[in-house]
Protein backbone atom coordinates (compact mmCIF):
# COMPACT_ATOMS: atom_id res chain seq x y z
CA UNK A 1 0.00 0.00 0.00
CA UNK A 2 2.80 2.41 0.93
CA UNK A 3 4.55 1.65 -2.36
CA UNK A 4 1.39 2.59 -4.30
CA UNK A 5 1.15 5.87 -2.41
CA UNK A 6 4.75 6.67 -3.28
CA UNK A 7 4.05 6.02 -6.97
CA UNK A 8 0.92 8.18 -6.88
CA UNK A 9 2.82 10.98 -5.13
CA UNK A 10 5.59 10.82 -7.73
CA UNK A 11 3.07 11.00 -10.58
CA UNK A 12 1.26 13.95 -8.98
CA UNK A 13 4.57 15.76 -8.47
CA UNK A 14 5.59 15.16 -12.10
CA UNK A 15 2.21 16.42 -13.33
CA UNK A 16 2.43 19.50 -11.13
CA UNK A 17 5.95 20.21 -12.36
CA UNK A 18 4.83 20.01 -15.99
CA UNK A 19 1.84 22.25 -15.26
CA UNK A 20 3.90 24.96 -13.55
CA UNK A 21 6.64 24.84 -16.20
CA UNK A 22 4.00 25.24 -18.91
CA UNK A 23 2.42 28.17 -17.10
CA UNK A 24 5.78 29.87 -16.52
CA UNK A 25 7.23 29.52 -20.01
CA UNK A 26 4.08 29.49 -22.14
CA UNK A 27 5.19 26.44 -24.09
CA UNK A 28 3.31 23.26 -24.82
CA UNK A 29 3.95 20.09 -22.78
CA UNK A 30 5.56 18.37 -25.76
CA UNK A 31 8.29 21.06 -25.73
CA UNK A 32 9.12 20.51 -22.05
CA UNK A 33 11.86 18.00 -22.85
CA UNK A 34 13.89 20.91 -24.26
CA UNK A 35 13.37 22.95 -21.09
CA UNK A 36 14.30 20.25 -18.58
CA UNK A 37 17.72 19.64 -20.15
CA UNK A 38 20.89 21.57 -19.20
CA UNK A 39 20.10 25.27 -19.64
CA UNK A 40 23.67 26.48 -20.21
CA UNK A 41 23.06 26.31 -23.96
CA UNK A 42 19.97 27.31 -25.93
CA UNK A 43 17.65 24.36 -26.35
CA UNK A 44 16.34 23.51 -29.81
CA UNK A 45 12.68 22.77 -29.35
CA UNK A 46 10.54 21.55 -32.21
CA UNK A 47 9.20 25.06 -32.58
CA UNK A 48 12.20 27.23 -31.67
CA UNK A 49 15.02 27.99 -29.24
CA UNK A 50 14.53 28.31 -25.48
CA UNK A 51 16.97 30.90 -24.10
CA UNK A 52 17.99 31.82 -20.56
CA UNK A 53 17.85 35.62 -20.37
CA UNK A 54 18.67 36.22 -16.72
CA UNK A 55 15.11 36.60 -15.43
CA UNK A 56 12.47 34.19 -14.23
CA UNK A 57 11.13 33.51 -17.72
CA UNK A 58 12.88 31.84 -20.62
CA UNK A 59 12.69 33.62 -23.95
CA UNK A 60 11.44 31.51 -26.84
CA UNK A 61 12.70 32.49 -30.30
CA UNK A 62 11.37 31.16 -33.59
CA UNK A 63 12.63 32.04 -37.07
CA UNK A 64 11.38 30.63 -40.34
CA UNK A 65 11.37 31.50 -44.00
CA UNK A 66 7.91 31.90 -45.46
CA UNK A 67 8.38 31.83 -49.20
CA UNK A 68 11.58 32.94 -50.90
CA UNK A 69 12.06 36.36 -49.24
CA UNK A 70 9.78 36.58 -46.17
CA UNK A 71 11.36 36.02 -42.76
CA UNK A 72 8.98 35.20 -39.91
CA UNK A 73 10.31 36.31 -36.49
CA UNK A 74 8.47 35.26 -33.31
CA UNK A 75 9.64 35.94 -29.77
CA UNK A 76 7.72 35.17 -26.58
CA UNK A 77 8.07 35.64 -22.80
CA UNK A 78 9.52 39.13 -23.27
CA UNK A 79 7.59 40.95 -20.53
CA UNK A 80 10.61 41.05 -18.18
CA UNK A 81 13.13 42.17 -20.77
CA UNK A 82 14.04 45.17 -22.88
CA UNK A 83 14.44 43.55 -26.30
CA UNK A 84 16.17 44.74 -29.47
CA UNK A 85 15.86 42.98 -32.82
CA UNK A 86 18.10 44.13 -35.69
CA UNK A 87 18.92 42.98 -39.23
CA UNK A 88 22.62 43.65 -39.86
CA UNK A 89 24.13 43.78 -43.36
CA UNK A 90 27.39 42.00 -44.28
CA UNK A 91 29.30 45.30 -43.88
CA UNK A 92 27.97 45.77 -40.31
CA UNK A 93 25.36 48.48 -40.86
CA UNK A 94 21.83 48.05 -39.52
CA UNK A 95 19.20 47.64 -42.25
CA UNK A 96 16.18 47.23 -39.93
CA UNK A 97 15.74 47.54 -36.15
CA UNK A 98 12.88 47.20 -33.67
CA UNK A 99 12.81 47.75 -29.89
CA UNK A 100 10.24 45.96 -27.72
CA UNK A 101 9.46 46.85 -24.11
CA UNK A 102 6.62 45.84 -21.78
CA UNK A 103 5.26 43.34 -24.29
CA UNK A 104 4.60 39.63 -23.79
CA UNK A 105 5.59 38.69 -27.32
CA UNK A 106 6.75 40.01 -30.67
CA UNK A 107 5.89 38.74 -34.14
CA UNK A 108 6.88 40.22 -37.46
CA UNK A 109 6.96 39.10 -41.08
CA UNK A 110 9.95 40.82 -42.68
CA UNK A 111 9.77 41.23 -46.44
CA UNK A 112 13.47 41.05 -47.20
CA UNK A 113 12.89 41.98 -50.83
CA UNK A 114 11.29 45.27 -49.72
CA UNK A 115 14.37 45.95 -47.54
CA UNK A 116 16.43 45.83 -50.77
CA UNK A 117 18.85 43.19 -49.57
CA UNK A 118 21.57 42.02 -51.92
CA UNK A 119 23.29 38.60 -51.97
CA UNK A 120 25.49 37.95 -48.96
CA UNK A 121 25.33 36.73 -45.36
CA UNK A 122 23.18 38.93 -43.14
CA UNK A 123 22.70 38.58 -39.39
CA UNK A 124 19.49 38.88 -37.40
CA UNK A 125 20.43 39.92 -33.85
CA UNK A 126 18.12 39.49 -30.87
CA UNK A 127 19.11 40.87 -27.48
CA UNK A 128 16.66 40.17 -24.63
CA UNK A 129 17.91 40.64 -21.09
CA UNK A 130 21.21 38.75 -20.83
CA UNK A 131 20.45 36.57 -23.87
CA UNK A 132 22.06 37.42 -27.20
CA UNK A 133 21.06 35.41 -30.24
CA UNK A 134 22.36 35.82 -33.77
CA UNK A 135 20.76 34.04 -36.70
CA UNK A 136 22.58 34.06 -40.03
CA UNK A 137 20.59 34.65 -43.21
CA UNK A 138 22.23 33.49 -46.42
CA UNK A 139 20.84 35.65 -49.21
CA UNK A 140 21.13 34.45 -52.79
CA UNK A 141 19.71 36.15 -55.86
CA UNK A 142 16.46 34.16 -55.78
CA UNK A 143 16.13 32.88 -52.23
CA UNK A 144 17.08 33.31 -48.59
CA UNK A 145 17.96 30.44 -46.27
CA UNK A 146 18.56 30.32 -42.54
CA UNK A 147 22.18 29.71 -41.58
CA UNK A 148 23.77 29.00 -38.21
CA UNK A 149 22.38 30.38 -34.95
CA UNK A 150 24.71 31.49 -32.13
CA UNK A 151 23.76 32.24 -28.52
CA UNK A 152 25.47 33.86 -25.56
CA UNK A 153 24.06 34.70 -22.15
CA UNK A 154 26.19 37.73 -21.30
CA UNK A 155 25.08 41.27 -22.10
CA UNK A 156 27.31 42.97 -24.69
CA UNK A 157 29.97 45.15 -23.07
CA UNK A 158 29.59 43.48 -19.66
CA UNK A 159 32.81 42.35 -18.01
CA UNK A 160 33.24 38.58 -18.12
CA UNK A 161 34.70 38.38 -14.60
CA UNK A 162 32.55 40.95 -12.79
CA UNK A 163 33.19 41.06 -9.07
CA UNK A 164 36.53 39.19 -9.20
Amino acid sequence: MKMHLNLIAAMVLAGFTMFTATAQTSVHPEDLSAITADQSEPQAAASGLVLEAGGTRRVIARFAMDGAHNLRVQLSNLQEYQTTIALVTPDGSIRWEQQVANQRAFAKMLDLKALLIEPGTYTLRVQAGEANLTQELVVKSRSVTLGAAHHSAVAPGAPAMAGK
Side-chain angles (χ1 to χ4, degrees), residues 139-162:
V139 178
K140 297 179 182 168
S141 60
R142 295 185 182 196
S143 67
V144 179
T145 57
L146 296 177
H150 305 280
H151 170 267
S152 68
V154 177
M161 301 293 272

PDB file of all heavy atoms in Angstrom, residues 139-162:
ATOM      1  N   VAL A 139      21.659  35.058 -48.143  1.00  0.00           N
ATOM      2  CA  VAL A 139      20.843  35.647 -49.212  1.00  0.00           C
ATOM      3  C   VAL A 139      21.492  35.337 -50.552  1.00  0.00           C
ATOM      4  O   VAL A 139      22.660  35.655 -50.779  1.00  0.00           O
ATOM      5  CB  VAL A 139      20.710  37.171 -49.016  1.00  0.00           C
ATOM      6  CG1 VAL A 139      19.899  37.784 -50.144  1.00  0.00           C
ATOM      7  CG2 VAL A 139      20.099  37.484 -47.668  1.00  0.00           C
ATOM      8  N   LYS A 140      20.709  34.707 -51.409  1.00  0.00           N
ATOM      9  CA  LYS A 140      21.125  34.452 -52.787  1.00  0.00           C
ATOM     10  C   LYS A 140      20.233  35.291 -53.683  1.00  0.00           C
ATOM     11  O   LYS A 140      19.293  35.925 -53.216  1.00  0.00           O
ATOM     12  CB  LYS A 140      21.016  32.966 -53.103  1.00  0.00           C
ATOM     13  CG  LYS A 140      21.943  32.132 -52.225  1.00  0.00           C
ATOM     14  CD  LYS A 140      21.836  30.673 -52.511  1.00  0.00           C
ATOM     15  CE  LYS A 140      22.757  29.925 -51.564  1.00  0.00           C
ATOM     16  NZ  LYS A 140      22.528  28.504 -51.570  1.00  0.00           N
ATOM     17  N   SER A 141      20.471  35.279 -54.961  1.00  0.00           N
ATOM     18  CA  SER A 141      19.713  36.148 -55.863  1.00  0.00           C
ATOM     19  C   SER A 141      18.219  35.807 -55.901  1.00  0.00           C
ATOM     20  O   SER A 141      17.390  36.688 -56.066  1.00  0.00           O
ATOM     21  CB  SER A 141      20.293  36.107 -57.271  1.00  0.00           C
ATOM     22  OG  SER A 141      20.245  34.776 -57.765  1.00  0.00           O
ATOM     23  N   ARG A 142      17.873  34.541 -55.682  1.00  0.00           N
ATOM     24  CA  ARG A 142      16.459  34.159 -55.779  1.00  0.00           C
ATOM     25  C   ARG A 142      15.864  33.606 -54.495  1.00  0.00           C
ATOM     26  O   ARG A 142      14.677  33.297 -54.455  1.00  0.00           O
ATOM     27  CB  ARG A 142      16.283  33.124 -56.884  1.00  0.00           C
ATOM     28  CG  ARG A 142      16.597  33.705 -58.227  1.00  0.00           C
ATOM     29  CD  ARG A 142      16.314  32.725 -59.301  1.00  0.00           C
ATOM     30  NE  ARG A 142      16.675  33.324 -60.573  1.00  0.00           N
ATOM     31  CZ  ARG A 142      16.291  32.864 -61.716  1.00  0.00           C
ATOM     32  NH1 ARG A 142      15.566  31.771 -61.764  1.00  0.00           N
ATOM     33  NH2 ARG A 142      16.639  33.453 -62.823  1.00  0.00           N
ATOM     34  N   SER A 143      16.663  33.456 -53.466  1.00  0.00           N
ATOM     35  CA  SER A 143      16.129  32.885 -52.233  1.00  0.00           C
ATOM     36  C   SER A 143      16.971  33.282 -51.029  1.00  0.00           C
ATOM     37  O   SER A 143      18.080  33.777 -51.165  1.00  0.00           O
ATOM     38  CB  SER A 143      16.076  31.359 -52.329  1.00  0.00           C
ATOM     39  OG  SER A 143      17.393  30.839 -52.373  1.00  0.00           O
ATOM     40  N   VAL A 144      16.398  33.068 -49.862  1.00  0.00           N
ATOM     41  CA  VAL A 144      17.075  33.311 -48.593  1.00  0.00           C
ATOM     42  C   VAL A 144      16.921  32.050 -47.754  1.00  0.00           C
ATOM     43  O   VAL A 144      15.831  31.485 -47.662  1.00  0.00           O
ATOM     44  CB  VAL A 144      16.459  34.508 -47.846  1.00  0.00           C
ATOM     45  CG1 VAL A 144      17.163  34.736 -46.515  1.00  0.00           C
ATOM     46  CG2 VAL A 144      16.499  35.766 -48.691  1.00  0.00           C
ATOM     47  N   THR A 145      18.019  31.597 -47.153  1.00  0.00           N
ATOM     48  CA  THR A 145      17.955  30.437 -46.270  1.00  0.00           C
ATOM     49  C   THR A 145      18.522  30.812 -44.909  1.00  0.00           C
ATOM     50  O   THR A 145      19.359  31.721 -44.794  1.00  0.00           O
ATOM     51  CB  THR A 145      18.748  29.238 -46.835  1.00  0.00           C
ATOM     52  OG1 THR A 145      20.095  29.640 -47.054  1.00  0.00           O
ATOM     53  CG2 THR A 145      18.134  28.734 -48.131  1.00  0.00           C
ATOM     54  N   LEU A 146      18.058  30.105 -43.884  1.00  0.00           N
ATOM     55  CA  LEU A 146      18.564  30.325 -42.541  1.00  0.00           C
ATOM     56  C   LEU A 146      19.893  29.600 -42.388  1.00  0.00           C
ATOM     57  O   LEU A 146      20.022  28.444 -42.755  1.00  0.00           O
ATOM     58  CB  LEU A 146      17.573  29.811 -41.499  1.00  0.00           C
ATOM     59  CG  LEU A 146      16.221  30.523 -41.454  1.00  0.00           C
ATOM     60  CD1 LEU A 146      15.313  29.867 -40.423  1.00  0.00           C
ATOM     61  CD2 LEU A 146      16.386  31.997 -41.157  1.00  0.00           C
ATOM     62  N   GLY A 147      20.880  30.291 -41.840  1.00  0.00           N
ATOM     63  CA  GLY A 147      22.180  29.705 -41.582  1.00  0.00           C
ATOM     64  C   GLY A 147      22.301  29.302 -40.124  1.00  0.00           C
ATOM     65  O   GLY A 147      21.313  28.947 -39.471  1.00  0.00           O
ATOM     66  N   ALA A 148      23.501  29.402 -39.587  1.00  0.00           N
ATOM     67  CA  ALA A 148      23.773  29.003 -38.207  1.00  0.00           C
ATOM     68  C   ALA A 148      23.214  30.024 -37.225  1.00  0.00           C
ATOM     69  O   ALA A 148      23.130  31.212 -37.517  1.00  0.00           O
ATOM     70  CB  ALA A 148      25.277  28.871 -38.002  1.00  0.00           C
ATOM     71  N   ALA A 149      22.835  29.526 -36.047  1.00  0.00           N
ATOM     72  CA  ALA A 149      22.384  30.380 -34.953  1.00  0.00           C
ATOM     73  C   ALA A 149      23.414  30.287 -33.833  1.00  0.00           C
ATOM     74  O   ALA A 149      23.927  29.211 -33.540  1.00  0.00           O
ATOM     75  CB  ALA A 149      21.015  29.936 -34.453  1.00  0.00           C
ATOM     76  N   HIS A 150      23.735  31.430 -33.221  1.00  0.00           N
ATOM     77  CA  HIS A 150      24.707  31.487 -32.128  1.00  0.00           C
ATOM     78  C   HIS A 150      24.060  32.177 -30.939  1.00  0.00           C
ATOM     79  O   HIS A 150      23.334  33.150 -31.101  1.00  0.00           O
ATOM     80  CB  HIS A 150      25.965  32.245 -32.554  1.00  0.00           C
ATOM     81  CG  HIS A 150      26.595  31.708 -33.787  1.00  0.00           C
ATOM     82  ND1 HIS A 150      27.410  30.594 -33.768  1.00  0.00           N
ATOM     83  CD2 HIS A 150      26.516  32.103 -35.081  1.00  0.00           C
ATOM     84  CE1 HIS A 150      27.815  30.350 -35.007  1.00  0.00           C
ATOM     85  NE2 HIS A 150      27.279  31.246 -35.821  1.00  0.00           N
ATOM     86  N   HIS A 151      24.372  31.696 -29.726  1.00  0.00           N
ATOM     87  CA  HIS A 151      23.765  32.236 -28.519  1.00  0.00           C
ATOM     88  C   HIS A 151      24.825  32.504 -27.468  1.00  0.00           C
ATOM     89  O   HIS A 151      25.777  31.736 -27.325  1.00  0.00           O
ATOM     90  CB  HIS A 151      22.746  31.217 -27.973  1.00  0.00           C
ATOM     91  CG  HIS A 151      22.241  31.577 -26.615  1.00  0.00           C
ATOM     92  ND1 HIS A 151      22.811  31.098 -25.463  1.00  0.00           N
ATOM     93  CD2 HIS A 151      21.226  32.371 -26.233  1.00  0.00           C
ATOM     94  CE1 HIS A 151      22.162  31.581 -24.430  1.00  0.00           C
ATOM     95  NE2 HIS A 151      21.200  32.355 -24.862  1.00  0.00           N
ATOM     96  N   SER A 152      24.655  33.605 -26.751  1.00  0.00           N
ATOM     97  CA  SER A 152      25.471  33.863 -25.561  1.00  0.00           C
ATOM     98  C   SER A 152      24.551  34.435 -24.498  1.00  0.00           C
ATOM     99  O   SER A 152      23.517  35.017 -24.806  1.00  0.00           O
ATOM    100  CB  SER A 152      26.626  34.823 -25.863  1.00  0.00           C
ATOM    101  OG  SER A 152      26.139  36.111 -26.150  1.00  0.00           O
ATOM    102  N   ALA A 153      24.921  34.255 -23.251  1.00  0.00           N
ATOM    103  CA  ALA A 153      24.058  34.701 -22.153  1.00  0.00           C
ATOM    104  C   ALA A 153      24.675  35.837 -21.365  1.00  0.00           C
ATOM    105  O   ALA A 153      24.348  36.047 -20.223  1.00  0.00           O
ATOM    106  CB  ALA A 153      23.748  33.526 -21.224  1.00  0.00           C
ATOM    107  N   VAL A 154      25.580  36.600 -21.964  1.00  0.00           N
ATOM    108  CA  VAL A 154      26.186  37.728 -21.296  1.00  0.00           C
ATOM    109  C   VAL A 154      25.852  38.979 -22.107  1.00  0.00           C
ATOM    110  O   VAL A 154      25.957  38.985 -23.315  1.00  0.00           O
ATOM    111  CB  VAL A 154      27.726  37.571 -21.207  1.00  0.00           C
ATOM    112  CG1 VAL A 154      28.370  38.779 -20.564  1.00  0.00           C
ATOM    113  CG2 VAL A 154      28.064  36.306 -20.433  1.00  0.00           C
ATOM    114  N   ALA A 155      25.419  40.016 -21.420  1.00  0.00           N
ATOM    115  CA  ALA A 155      25.078  41.265 -22.101  1.00  0.00           C
ATOM    116  C   ALA A 155      26.319  41.839 -22.776  1.00  0.00           C
ATOM    117  O   ALA A 155      27.419  41.771 -22.225  1.00  0.00           O
ATOM    118  CB  ALA A 155      24.519  42.265 -21.097  1.00  0.00           C
ATOM    119  N   PRO A 156      26.162  42.412 -23.989  1.00  0.00           N
ATOM    120  CA  PRO A 156      27.315  42.967 -24.689  1.00  0.00           C
ATOM    121  C   PRO A 156      27.931  44.102 -23.878  1.00  0.00           C
ATOM    122  O   PRO A 156      27.249  44.919 -23.309  1.00  0.00           O
ATOM    123  CB  PRO A 156      26.741  43.464 -26.011  1.00  0.00           C
ATOM    124  CG  PRO A 156      25.277  43.445 -25.879  1.00  0.00           C
ATOM    125  CD  PRO A 156      24.928  42.585 -24.701  1.00  0.00           C
ATOM    126  N   GLY A 157      29.281  44.120 -23.800  1.00  0.00           N
ATOM    127  CA  GLY A 157      29.973  45.155 -23.070  1.00  0.00           C
ATOM    128  C   GLY A 157      30.117  44.870 -21.585  1.00  0.00           C
ATOM    129  O   GLY A 157      30.782  45.599 -20.873  1.00  0.00           O
ATOM    130  N   ALA A 158      29.485  43.817 -21.081  1.00  0.00           N
ATOM    131  CA  ALA A 158      29.592  43.485 -19.662  1.00  0.00           C
ATOM    132  C   ALA A 158      30.903  42.757 -19.405  1.00  0.00           C
ATOM    133  O   ALA A 158      31.309  41.926 -20.209  1.00  0.00           O
ATOM    134  CB  ALA A 158      28.421  42.600 -19.241  1.00  0.00           C
ATOM    135  N   PRO A 159      31.563  43.043 -18.288  1.00  0.00           N
ATOM    136  CA  PRO A 159      32.813  42.347 -18.012  1.00  0.00           C
ATOM    137  C   PRO A 159      32.571  40.869 -17.733  1.00  0.00           C
ATOM    138  O   PRO A 159      31.598  40.515 -17.076  1.00  0.00           O
ATOM    139  CB  PRO A 159      33.366  43.045 -16.758  1.00  0.00           C
ATOM    140  CG  PRO A 159      32.220  43.793 -16.185  1.00  0.00           C
ATOM    141  CD  PRO A 159      31.231  44.029 -17.297  1.00  0.00           C
ATOM    142  N   ALA A 160      33.420  40.024 -18.260  1.00  0.00           N
ATOM    143  CA  ALA A 160      33.238  38.582 -18.116  1.00  0.00           C
ATOM    144  C   ALA A 160      33.481  38.122 -16.680  1.00  0.00           C
ATOM    145  O   ALA A 160      32.887  37.165 -16.231  1.00  0.00           O
ATOM    146  CB  ALA A 160      34.169  37.850 -19.068  1.00  0.00           C
ATOM    147  N   MET A 161      34.361  38.786 -15.955  1.00  0.00           N
ATOM    148  CA  MET A 161      34.702  38.376 -14.603  1.00  0.00           C
ATOM    149  C   MET A 161      34.251  39.424 -13.589  1.00  0.00           C
ATOM    150  O   MET A 161      35.015  39.863 -12.735  1.00  0.00           O
ATOM    151  CB  MET A 161      36.211  38.147 -14.484  1.00  0.00           C
ATOM    152  CG  MET A 161      36.746  37.091 -15.422  1.00  0.00           C
ATOM    153  SD  MET A 161      36.160  35.474 -15.015  1.00  0.00           S
ATOM    154  CE  MET A 161      37.380  34.994 -13.856  1.00  0.00           C
ATOM    155  N   ALA A 162      33.051  39.900 -13.684  1.00  0.00           N
ATOM    156  CA  ALA A 162      32.551  40.947 -12.792  1.00  0.00           C
ATOM    157  C   ALA A 162      32.633  40.489 -11.344  1.00  0.00           C
ATOM    158  O   ALA A 162      32.271  39.376 -11.007  1.00  0.00           O
ATOM    159  CB  ALA A 162      31.110  41.291 -13.139  1.00  0.00           C
TER     160      ALA A 162
END
